[in-house]
Amino acid sequence: MPPSHFFCGALKQQGAAACGVLPFSALTPYMSGRARERALSLCPGARSVLAAAFPYFAGETKGNLSVYARGTDYHIAVAARLQRACDLFRAAFPDCCFVPGVDNSPLPEKTAARLSGIGMLGQNTLILCPPYGSYIFLGTILTDLLLDPERRRESPPCPGCGRCVSACPTGALSRMEGRTVLNQNLCVSRLTQKKGQLTPEEEQILARHPYLWGCDLCQTICPLNQNAK
C-alpha cells in the first residue's frame, strides 16, 4: 500500500495548502446513485480519494466581484495543478487510474475535505482550513489505487458563533435542528449567477448589494477568516 505522503507531497508542490486521503467507500453514503455510477464510470474499481485545498486570498482589493473571482478562473487554475499531479502519479503507477475533479466532479468535495481532515464545515456551509479560512478552492483525485488511510482524521466542528448566519442579507443561511441550512434560492451569490429573468424581488436584493458577482459577507464576518494567510 503506497504511503499517502508521496501523493500529498506532490499536491503541495502544486500549491495545495492541505491534503488528505480517504477510502472511496467513506464517501459513497453521501453520494446519489447517479453520482456513484458516474464516479465508477470515470474510475472503475475506485478505492481511494485524495482531497486538496488551494488557498486563493490575495488581500483586500477594491472591486465589485467576489474575491474568488478576481483572479484566474479556478476551474482552469486548480484543474491544471491537479492534472500535473496526476501526470506524476501515472508515471509512478502506470497501471492505475487517476481522475482529477474540481467543482463538476461527482464526488462531494466538501464532505471529502471534512472526512479527510483538511478542513471543518463552517456554519456558512463552506470549508474552513486554518490559517487560510474559507478562502480555498477544493479539488479531488479519484483513483483505483489503495492508499494508506492511516493518518485520516475527521476535522473538528465549526466553533458555531453564528455570525455568518446573522450577517446573511437575505436569510439564506438559517439554523434548523442544530445545523445550518442554505436556501440557494435566497443566496445572493447564486442570484448574481442566475440565468434567465430575475424576479422584481431578486432585482431589489441585487440592487442593494455591492457586488455584481458573488457575495463574501458570510466569509468576511467569520472570525476564522480574520487575518487569513
Side-chain angles (χ1 to χ4, degrees):
M1 186 182 299
S4 300
H5 61 77
F6 165 74
F7 297 89
C8 286
L11 282 165
K12 288 182 179 180
Q13 288 179 359
Q14 295 301 325
C19 173
V21 177
L22 70 159
F24 175 63
S25 59
L27 276 186
T28 53
Y30 302 91
M31 301 169 65
S32 67
R34 180 174 296 181
R36 289 194 296 270
E37 289 176 4
R38 185 182 169 210
L40 291 172
S41 68
L42 293 170
C43 182
R47 304 175 78 180
S48 304
V49 176
L50 285 152
F54 296 85
Y56 66 83
F57 187 64
E60 295 292 344
T61 59
K62 293 182 179 180
N64 57 11
L65 302 176
S66 179
V67 174
Y68 87 88
R70 299 183 188 184
T72 303
D73 185 337
Y74 75 93
H75 299 90
I76 297 172
V78 174
R81 287 159 171 74
L82 293 175
Q83 189 58 62
R84 287 195 291 267
C86 285
D87 290 342
L88 178 63
F89 301 157
R90 295 186 190 104
F93 301 92
D95 296 328
C96 295
C97 176
F98 297 94
V99 180
V102 52
D103 200 30
N104 61 348
S105 167
L107 303 181
E109 295 170 330
K110 290 193 286 188
T111 302
R114 177 175 61 83
L115 294 181
S116 66
I118 67 174
M120 69 185 80
L121 183 64
Q123 284 190 327
N124 57 8
T125 73
L126 301 173
I127 292 294
L128 293 155
C129 180
Y132 305 96
S134 59
Y135 298 113
I136 56 171
F137 297 131
L138 297 176
T140 59
I141 295 176
L142 181 63
T143 177
D144 56 0
L145 184 63
L146 181 61
L147 300 181
D148 181 7
E150 181 180 353
R151 299 177 63 187
R152 184 174 70 88
R153 73 225 182 276
E154 185 173 342
S155 293
C158 168
C161 69
R163 294 183 186 180
C164 56
V165 176
S166 299
C168 183
T170 62
L173 290 172
S174 61
R175 296 290 291 171
M176 293 181 60
E177 299 179 353
R179 64 188 184 94
T180 306
V181 177
L182 173 64
N183 183 340
Q184 295 186 354
N185 293 325
L186 293 177
C187 179
V188 172
S189 182
R190 293 277 181 170
L191 290 179
T192 63
Q193 303 173 53
K194 181 180 177 180
K195 296 179 175 62
Q197 185 70 35
L198 296 174
T199 66
E201 293 77 12
E202 292 170 341
E203 288 182 347
Q204 290 178 10
I205 289 173
L206 296 188
R208 295 192 299 267
H209 194 69
Y211 286 176
L212 292 178
W213 180 277
C215 176
D216 289 335
L217 288 178
C218 68
Q219 296 196 91
T220 56
I221 198 68
C222 176
L224 294 180
N225 275 339
Q226 307 309 306
N227 303 312
K229 190 172 179 180

